[in-house]
mmCIF file of all heavy atoms in Angstrom:
data_model
loop_
_atom_site.group_PDB
_atom_site.id
_atom_site.type_symbol
_atom_site.label_atom_id
_atom_site.label_comp_id
_atom_site.label_asym_id
_atom_site.label_seq_id
_atom_site.Cartn_x
_atom_site.Cartn_y
_atom_site.Cartn_z
ATOM 1 N N THR A 278 -53.074 51.906 -96.680
ATOM 2 C CA THR A 278 -53.724 51.892 -97.992
ATOM 3 C C THR A 278 -52.923 52.789 -98.929
ATOM 4 O O THR A 278 -52.063 53.551 -98.555
ATOM 5 C CB THR A 278 -55.156 52.494 -97.830
ATOM 6 O OG1 THR A 278 -55.094 53.795 -97.279
ATOM 7 C CG2 THR A 278 -56.019 51.626 -96.912
ATOM 8 N N GLY A 279 -53.255 52.527 -100.226
ATOM 9 C CA GLY A 279 -52.561 53.286 -101.249
ATOM 10 C C GLY A 279 -51.129 52.730 -101.460
ATOM 11 O O GLY A 279 -50.669 51.795 -100.752
ATOM 12 N N PRO A 280 -50.395 53.272 -102.381
ATOM 13 C CA PRO A 280 -49.012 52.796 -102.644
ATOM 14 C C PRO A 280 -48.057 53.144 -101.562
ATOM 15 O O PRO A 280 -48.255 54.122 -100.778
ATOM 16 C CB PRO A 280 -48.651 53.552 -103.947
ATOM 17 C CG PRO A 280 -49.476 54.768 -103.931
ATOM 18 C CD PRO A 280 -50.761 54.398 -103.277
ATOM 19 N N ILE A 281 -47.008 52.316 -101.412
ATOM 20 C CA ILE A 281 -45.966 52.646 -100.405
ATOM 21 C C ILE A 281 -45.286 53.995 -100.718
ATOM 22 O O ILE A 281 -44.989 54.742 -99.763
ATOM 23 C CB ILE A 281 -44.887 51.479 -100.427
ATOM 24 C CG1 ILE A 281 -45.606 50.157 -99.904
ATOM 25 C CG2 ILE A 281 -43.727 51.840 -99.564
ATOM 26 C CD1 ILE A 281 -44.650 48.981 -99.952
ATOM 27 N N VAL A 282 -45.060 54.238 -101.976
ATOM 28 C CA VAL A 282 -44.454 55.522 -102.360
ATOM 29 C C VAL A 282 -45.271 56.171 -103.467
ATOM 30 O O VAL A 282 -45.829 55.407 -104.333
ATOM 31 C CB VAL A 282 -42.981 55.403 -102.769
ATOM 32 C CG1 VAL A 282 -42.088 54.983 -101.605
ATOM 33 C CG2 VAL A 282 -42.814 54.389 -103.919
ATOM 34 N N GLN A 283 -45.236 57.452 -103.526
ATOM 35 C CA GLN A 283 -45.924 58.223 -104.657
ATOM 36 C C GLN A 283 -44.985 59.321 -105.051
ATOM 37 O O GLN A 283 -44.401 60.055 -104.188
ATOM 38 C CB GLN A 283 -47.216 58.840 -104.194
ATOM 39 C CG GLN A 283 -48.348 57.888 -103.933
ATOM 40 C CD GLN A 283 -49.643 58.641 -103.468
ATOM 41 O OE1 GLN A 283 -49.930 58.630 -102.257
ATOM 42 N NE2 GLN A 283 -50.323 59.244 -104.366
ATOM 43 N N ALA A 284 -44.805 59.528 -106.362
ATOM 44 C CA ALA A 284 -43.956 60.568 -106.866
ATOM 45 C C ALA A 284 -44.574 61.919 -106.414
ATOM 46 O O ALA A 284 -45.765 62.079 -106.420
ATOM 47 C CB ALA A 284 -43.871 60.496 -108.341
ATOM 48 N N ALA A 285 -43.688 62.836 -106.035
ATOM 49 C CA ALA A 285 -44.168 64.128 -105.497
ATOM 50 C C ALA A 285 -43.473 65.274 -106.244
ATOM 51 O O ALA A 285 -42.376 65.150 -106.815
ATOM 52 C CB ALA A 285 -43.832 64.289 -103.999
ATOM 53 N N THR A 286 -44.186 66.419 -106.306
ATOM 54 C CA THR A 286 -43.668 67.652 -106.826
ATOM 55 C C THR A 286 -43.515 68.644 -105.668
ATOM 56 O O THR A 286 -44.390 68.707 -104.816
ATOM 57 C CB THR A 286 -44.553 68.251 -107.892
ATOM 58 O OG1 THR A 286 -44.755 67.202 -108.951
ATOM 59 C CG2 THR A 286 -43.965 69.501 -108.518
ATOM 60 N N ARG A 306 -49.309 64.374 -92.231
ATOM 61 C CA ARG A 306 -50.605 64.162 -92.935
ATOM 62 C C ARG A 306 -50.532 64.841 -94.270
ATOM 63 O O ARG A 306 -49.793 65.873 -94.446
ATOM 64 C CB ARG A 306 -51.757 64.681 -92.120
ATOM 65 C CG ARG A 306 -51.961 63.997 -90.787
ATOM 66 C CD ARG A 306 -52.674 62.659 -91.015
ATOM 67 N NE ARG A 306 -52.863 61.883 -89.763
ATOM 68 C CZ ARG A 306 -53.357 60.680 -89.699
ATOM 69 N NH1 ARG A 306 -53.722 60.040 -90.798
ATOM 70 N NH2 ARG A 306 -53.437 60.034 -88.522
ATOM 71 N N PRO A 307 -51.366 64.392 -95.218
ATOM 72 C CA PRO A 307 -51.388 64.997 -96.536
ATOM 73 C C PRO A 307 -51.638 66.547 -96.465
ATOM 74 O O PRO A 307 -51.059 67.273 -97.246
ATOM 75 C CB PRO A 307 -52.507 64.272 -97.218
ATOM 76 C CG PRO A 307 -52.520 62.936 -96.631
ATOM 77 C CD PRO A 307 -52.170 63.171 -95.214
ATOM 78 N N ALA A 308 -52.481 66.941 -95.570
ATOM 79 C CA ALA A 308 -52.764 68.437 -95.506
ATOM 80 C C ALA A 308 -51.556 69.197 -95.120
ATOM 81 O O ALA A 308 -51.315 70.271 -95.601
ATOM 82 C CB ALA A 308 -53.893 68.599 -94.510
ATOM 83 N N LEU A 310 -48.442 68.294 -95.749
ATOM 84 C CA LEU A 310 -47.565 68.282 -96.862
ATOM 85 C C LEU A 310 -47.974 69.309 -97.957
ATOM 86 O O LEU A 310 -47.189 70.061 -98.512
ATOM 87 C CB LEU A 310 -47.495 66.866 -97.448
ATOM 88 C CG LEU A 310 -46.855 65.841 -96.553
ATOM 89 C CD1 LEU A 310 -47.270 64.441 -96.916
ATOM 90 C CD2 LEU A 310 -45.297 65.976 -96.690
ATOM 91 N N THR A 311 -49.275 69.365 -98.171
ATOM 92 C CA THR A 311 -49.813 70.289 -99.176
ATOM 93 C C THR A 311 -49.524 71.735 -98.724
ATOM 94 O O THR A 311 -49.103 72.553 -99.563
ATOM 95 C CB THR A 311 -51.327 70.113 -99.321
ATOM 96 O OG1 THR A 311 -51.569 68.783 -99.793
ATOM 97 C CG2 THR A 311 -51.914 71.082 -100.344
ATOM 98 N N VAL A 315 -45.909 70.512 -101.102
ATOM 99 C CA VAL A 315 -45.720 69.162 -101.655
ATOM 100 C C VAL A 315 -47.004 68.685 -102.279
ATOM 101 O O VAL A 315 -48.037 68.658 -101.637
ATOM 102 C CB VAL A 315 -45.158 68.188 -100.637
ATOM 103 C CG1 VAL A 315 -44.916 66.821 -101.280
ATOM 104 C CG2 VAL A 315 -43.936 68.701 -99.916
ATOM 105 N N SER A 316 -46.966 68.194 -103.517
ATOM 106 C CA SER A 316 -48.139 67.726 -104.144
ATOM 107 C C SER A 316 -47.911 66.431 -104.882
ATOM 108 O O SER A 316 -46.768 66.061 -105.193
ATOM 109 C CB SER A 316 -48.685 68.760 -105.170
ATOM 110 O OG SER A 316 -47.760 69.020 -106.195
ATOM 111 N N THR A 317 -48.971 65.626 -105.120
ATOM 112 C CA THR A 317 -48.925 64.424 -105.854
ATOM 113 C C THR A 317 -49.975 64.399 -106.972
ATOM 114 O O THR A 317 -50.936 65.146 -106.883
ATOM 115 C CB THR A 317 -49.109 63.185 -104.978
ATOM 116 O OG1 THR A 317 -50.394 63.355 -104.214
ATOM 117 C CG2 THR A 317 -48.017 63.015 -103.946
ATOM 118 N N ALA A 318 -49.747 63.573 -107.999
ATOM 119 C CA ALA A 318 -50.664 63.554 -109.105
ATOM 120 C C ALA A 318 -52.084 63.118 -108.715
ATOM 121 O O ALA A 318 -53.085 63.652 -109.218
ATOM 122 C CB ALA A 318 -50.141 62.636 -110.183
ATOM 123 N N THR A 319 -52.174 62.164 -107.793
ATOM 124 C CA THR A 319 -53.462 61.702 -107.285
ATOM 125 C C THR A 319 -53.455 61.937 -105.771
ATOM 126 O O THR A 319 -52.353 61.775 -105.123
ATOM 127 C CB THR A 319 -53.716 60.224 -107.578
ATOM 128 O OG1 THR A 319 -52.652 59.434 -107.062
ATOM 129 C CG2 THR A 319 -53.822 60.016 -109.091
ATOM 130 N N PRO A 320 -54.566 62.185 -105.173
ATOM 131 C CA PRO A 320 -54.607 62.476 -103.688
ATOM 132 C C PRO A 320 -54.096 61.266 -102.941
ATOM 133 O O PRO A 320 -54.383 60.089 -103.220
ATOM 134 C CB PRO A 320 -56.074 62.752 -103.439
ATOM 135 C CG PRO A 320 -56.666 63.171 -104.760
ATOM 136 C CD PRO A 320 -55.885 62.377 -105.791
ATOM 137 N N ALA A 321 -53.294 61.563 -101.919
ATOM 138 C CA ALA A 321 -52.755 60.516 -101.024
ATOM 139 C C ALA A 321 -53.830 60.191 -99.987
ATOM 140 O O ALA A 321 -54.432 61.094 -99.412
ATOM 141 C CB ALA A 321 -51.480 60.956 -100.363
ATOM 142 N N PRO A 322 -53.942 58.904 -99.614
ATOM 143 C CA PRO A 322 -54.849 58.555 -98.544
ATOM 144 C C PRO A 322 -54.502 59.272 -97.241
ATOM 145 O O PRO A 322 -53.298 59.624 -97.021
ATOM 146 C CB PRO A 322 -54.703 56.982 -98.356
ATOM 147 C CG PRO A 322 -54.201 56.553 -99.737
ATOM 148 C CD PRO A 322 -53.335 57.724 -100.217
ATOM 149 N N ASP A 323 -55.465 59.475 -96.351
ATOM 150 C CA ASP A 323 -55.214 60.254 -95.179
ATOM 151 C C ASP A 323 -54.525 59.403 -94.077
ATOM 152 O O ASP A 323 -55.204 58.806 -93.244
ATOM 153 C CB ASP A 323 -56.503 60.838 -94.617
ATOM 154 C CG ASP A 323 -56.291 61.804 -93.452
ATOM 155 O OD1 ASP A 323 -55.158 62.337 -93.373
ATOM 156 O OD2 ASP A 323 -57.230 62.061 -92.651
ATOM 157 N N GLN A 324 -53.206 59.357 -94.221
ATOM 158 C CA GLN A 324 -52.379 58.611 -93.267
ATOM 159 C C GLN A 324 -51.054 59.340 -93.199
ATOM 160 O O GLN A 324 -50.809 60.306 -93.898
ATOM 161 C CB GLN A 324 -52.217 57.198 -93.658
ATOM 162 C CG GLN A 324 -51.701 56.938 -95.040
ATOM 163 C CD GLN A 324 -51.865 55.526 -95.561
ATOM 164 O OE1 GLN A 324 -52.776 54.800 -95.078
ATOM 165 N NE2 GLN A 324 -51.163 55.171 -96.619
ATOM 166 N N TYR A 326 -47.078 60.229 -93.697
ATOM 167 C CA TYR A 326 -46.059 60.100 -94.685
ATOM 168 C C TYR A 326 -44.790 60.792 -94.348
ATOM 169 O O TYR A 326 -44.795 61.682 -93.466
ATOM 170 C CB TYR A 326 -46.541 60.714 -96.047
ATOM 171 C CG TYR A 326 -47.745 60.023 -96.651
ATOM 172 C CD1 TYR A 326 -49.021 60.447 -96.318
ATOM 173 C CD2 TYR A 326 -47.626 58.959 -97.514
ATOM 174 C CE1 TYR A 326 -50.152 59.851 -96.876
ATOM 175 C CE2 TYR A 326 -48.709 58.320 -98.036
ATOM 176 C CZ TYR A 326 -49.968 58.761 -97.711
ATOM 177 O OH TYR A 326 -51.077 58.158 -98.224
ATOM 178 N N TYR A 340 -38.372 63.461 -105.644
ATOM 179 C CA TYR A 340 -38.992 63.592 -104.416
ATOM 180 C C TYR A 340 -40.239 62.600 -104.431
ATOM 181 O O TYR A 340 -40.924 62.490 -105.395
ATOM 182 C CB TYR A 340 -39.496 64.976 -104.141
ATOM 183 C CG TYR A 340 -38.330 65.976 -103.984
ATOM 184 C CD1 TYR A 340 -37.850 66.665 -105.065
ATOM 185 C CD2 TYR A 340 -37.679 66.091 -102.792
ATOM 186 C CE1 TYR A 340 -36.761 67.512 -104.978
ATOM 187 C CE2 TYR A 340 -36.610 66.966 -102.632
ATOM 188 C CZ TYR A 340 -36.132 67.671 -103.737
ATOM 189 O OH TYR A 340 -35.060 68.509 -103.601
ATOM 190 N N TRP A 341 -40.387 61.933 -103.260
ATOM 191 C CA TRP A 341 -41.457 60.977 -103.115
ATOM 192 C C TRP A 341 -42.124 61.075 -101.797
ATOM 193 O O TRP A 341 -41.460 61.419 -100.786
ATOM 194 C CB TRP A 341 -40.884 59.516 -103.261
ATOM 195 C CG TRP A 341 -40.282 59.240 -104.578
ATOM 196 C CD1 TRP A 341 -39.093 59.630 -105.088
ATOM 197 C CD2 TRP A 341 -40.912 58.453 -105.663
ATOM 198 N NE1 TRP A 341 -38.885 59.126 -106.346
ATOM 199 C CE2 TRP A 341 -39.990 58.421 -106.730
ATOM 200 C CE3 TRP A 341 -42.109 57.794 -105.764
ATOM 201 C CZ2 TRP A 341 -40.251 57.758 -107.912
ATOM 202 C CZ3 TRP A 341 -42.421 57.118 -106.958
ATOM 203 C CH2 TRP A 341 -41.483 57.140 -107.977
ATOM 204 N N LEU A 342 -43.400 60.754 -101.706
ATOM 205 C CA LEU A 342 -44.073 60.573 -100.413
ATOM 206 C C LEU A 342 -43.989 59.118 -100.080
ATOM 207 O O LEU A 342 -44.285 58.244 -100.944
ATOM 208 C CB LEU A 342 -45.566 60.977 -100.542
ATOM 209 C CG LEU A 342 -45.894 62.471 -100.618
ATOM 210 C CD1 LEU A 342 -47.390 62.655 -100.315
ATOM 211 C CD2 LEU A 342 -45.056 63.269 -99.674
ATOM 212 N N ALA A 343 -43.565 58.788 -98.917
ATOM 213 C CA ALA A 343 -43.410 57.411 -98.474
ATOM 214 C C ALA A 343 -44.256 57.195 -97.230
ATOM 215 O O ALA A 343 -44.159 58.004 -96.278
ATOM 216 C CB ALA A 343 -41.953 57.123 -98.215
ATOM 217 N N LYS A 368 -42.121 45.221 -107.435
ATOM 218 C CA LYS A 368 -43.015 45.448 -108.548
ATOM 219 C C LYS A 368 -42.555 44.740 -109.806
ATOM 220 O O LYS A 368 -43.387 44.109 -110.545
ATOM 221 C CB LYS A 368 -43.052 46.987 -108.904
ATOM 222 C CG LYS A 368 -43.770 47.796 -107.789
ATOM 223 C CD LYS A 368 -43.782 49.278 -108.270
ATOM 224 C CE LYS A 368 -44.447 50.176 -107.216
ATOM 225 N NZ LYS A 368 -44.396 51.600 -107.607
ATOM 226 N N MET A 382 -48.764 48.760 -102.955
ATOM 227 C CA MET A 382 -47.383 48.774 -103.549
ATOM 228 C C MET A 382 -47.196 50.071 -104.340
ATOM 229 O O MET A 382 -46.106 50.325 -104.746
ATOM 230 C CB MET A 382 -47.165 47.584 -104.434
ATOM 231 C CG MET A 382 -47.007 46.294 -103.653
ATOM 232 S SD MET A 382 -45.414 46.274 -102.777
ATOM 233 C CE MET A 382 -44.263 46.180 -104.168
#
Side-chain angles (χ1 to χ4, degrees):
T278 58
I281 293 175
V282 292
Q283 290 179 258
T286 302
R306 295 282 176 183
L310 293 158
T311 299
V315 181
S316 60
T317 54
T319 58
D323 187 22
Q324 55 196 20
Y326 296 91
Y340 295 93
W341 296 79
L342 288 195
K368 289 180 181 178
M382 284 291 290

